[in-house]
Amino acid sequence: MNNKISTFTVMATLALGSFSATNVYADDASIVRLATTTSTYHSGLLDYLLPEFKKDSGYEVQVLAAGTGKALKMGENGDVDLVMTHAPKAEANFVEKGYGVDPKALMYNDFVLVGPKADPAHIHGMKDVTAAFKKMAESDVTFVSRGDDSGTNKKELILWSQAKIEPNFGGYKAVGQGMGPTLNMTSELQAYTLTDRGTWLAYQNKLDLEIMVEGDKRLFNPYQVILINPERYKNLNTKGAQAFSDWLISDKGQAMIDSFTLNGKKLFTADAK
């Protein structure tokens, strides 16, 4: 399966507002429909994992990549069999409301704050990410926000709140785009943005940016895998979704996640509990 082609097709149709995953993939017992974040897609992790899962299980995973908010909405609508996301509060709410079942901790990486080498906000090397957010607002530099209700966007808004800043200063731009396009725009504008480290490592060689702030514990970025509640929808491939979830948290799946690198750097740390 060419994940990049299938995901692009799905994402393009979603943008046109006419897509129903249920109609496209329902009733095929060999297909597992996964809604996940653009970070797991753009990093290349799924291209690495899915062929091995298919070889082991016989299931083909169809990937629908979007921001966490949209991914969870697909789960709420019963358009996918499971979700893989990185927004703990939104995920807890998703399970509490009965849309998701059997949440499993999967892996983690972290967020980093990136910006131009000239660093007009003078935040390079700061250890306190909220202090860096305050300095950016006070300096009225350009900050590009994903603005798409993704896990990264949710984290960014939490950080503005913790910094006691309302992100409405003149240089703040919410673009409603995925992480890759947001990074490209940030580089073109010589601005700042928050990104997950995996997508940063995948894109950094194409960008005129560098890491400004990293390592603050508030930048921790955990991922979960959650099955869609089969009691809500009859068309789900819960058996296949359970097989994929179990495989991801198995010794083999966790070892593969731990061994995945890009440009010689590890992107995720396996964290199944």
Side-chain angles (χ1 to χ4, degrees):
M1 178 185 66
N2 188 326
N3 284 320
K4 292 191 175 181
I5 292 175
S6 63
T7 301
F8 174 80
T9 302
V10 168
M11 290 176 71
T13 313
L14 274 170
L16 294 174
S18 60
F19 175 76
S20 171
T22 301
N23 292 337
V24 176
Y25 301 129
D27 302 323
D28 188 337
S30 68
I31 297 293
V32 178
R33 302 163 299 166
L34 170 70
T36 189
T37 68
T38 57
S39 57
T40 55
Y41 173 65
H42 285 143
S43 67
L45 177 67
L46 292 176
D47 287 334
Y48 173 67
L49 296 177
L50 295 185
E52 196 67 18
F53 172 66
K54 184 176 181 180
K55 185 173 74 174
D56 289 347
S57 69
Y59 288 107
E60 179 176 351
V61 178
Q62 295 283 0
V63 179
L64 291 82
T68 286
K70 291 179 181 178
L72 292 175
K73 180 58 70 175
M74 289 184 230
E76 290 181 15
N77 293 337
D79 287 335
V80 293
D81 303 306
L82 74 169
V83 297
M84 183 193 300
T85 51
H86 64 136
K89 289 184 179 180
E91 291 156 4
N93 187 55
F94 181 76
V95 172
E96 184 179 339
K97 289 184 175 180
Y99 296 113
V101 296
D102 198 23
K104 298 290 187 184
L106 179 61
M107 61 191 181
Y108 66 85
N109 64 4
D110 63 342
F111 295 101
V112 292
L113 182 58
V114 302
K117 295 173 184 176
D119 189 24
H122 305 294
I123 61 172
H124 187 274
M126 292 181 68
K127 302 301 181 184
D128 184 331
V129 66
T130 58
F133 269 55
K134 285 181 181 179
K135 286 196 72 172
M136 288 188 295
E138 292 166 355
S139 303
D140 200 26
V141 294
T142 302
F143 183 95
V144 180
S145 168
R146 284 182 60 166
D148 63 348
D149 198 33
S150 62
T152 304
N153 184 214
K154 291 176 187 292
K155 170 62 74 171
E156 175 221 320
L157 294 176
I158 287 170
L159 292 172
W160 287 119
S161 178
Q162 290 174 343
K164 296 180 171 57
I165 297 291
E166 187 69 32
N168 55 9
F169 54 93
Y172 187 82
K173 299 182 183 298
V175 296
Q177 296 289 326
M179 196 70 255
T182 298
L183 281 168
N184 286 331
M185 188 177 301
T186 301
S187 182
E188 291 170 5
L189 295 174
Q190 285 295 279
Y192 296 85
T193 196
L194 185 74
T195 177
D196 67 282
R197 190 181 293 271
T199 309
W200 165 251
L201 290 173
Y203 277 75
Q204 64 174 339
N205 292 337
K206 306 172 186 177
L207 304 171
D208 187 18
L209 300 169
E210 61 183 41
I211 292 178
M212 297 284 127
V213 180
E214 61 183 330
D216 188 316
K217 64 182 181 180
R218 287 167 287 194
L219 294 173
F220 180 67
N221 184 27
Y223 289 77
Q224 286 194 101
V225 59
I226 307 171
L227 305 186
I228 306 308
N229 189 348
E231 294 184 2
R232 281 186 169 267
Y233 304 101
K234 296 180 180 179
N235 67 308
L236 299 176
N237 186 354
T238 301
K239 183 178 178 181
Q242 186 71 66
F244 187 41
S245 176
D246 289 346
W247 186 89
L248 287 168
I249 65 172
S250 70
D251 290 345
K252 180 175 182 177
Q254 292 284 282
M256 288 189 69
I257 290 169
D258 257 341
S259 66
F260 180 60
T261 61
L262 188 65
N263 299 323
K265 295 184 179 180
K266 179 176 174 178
L267 271 67
F268 300 94
T269 298
D271 191 38
K273 296 179 176 66

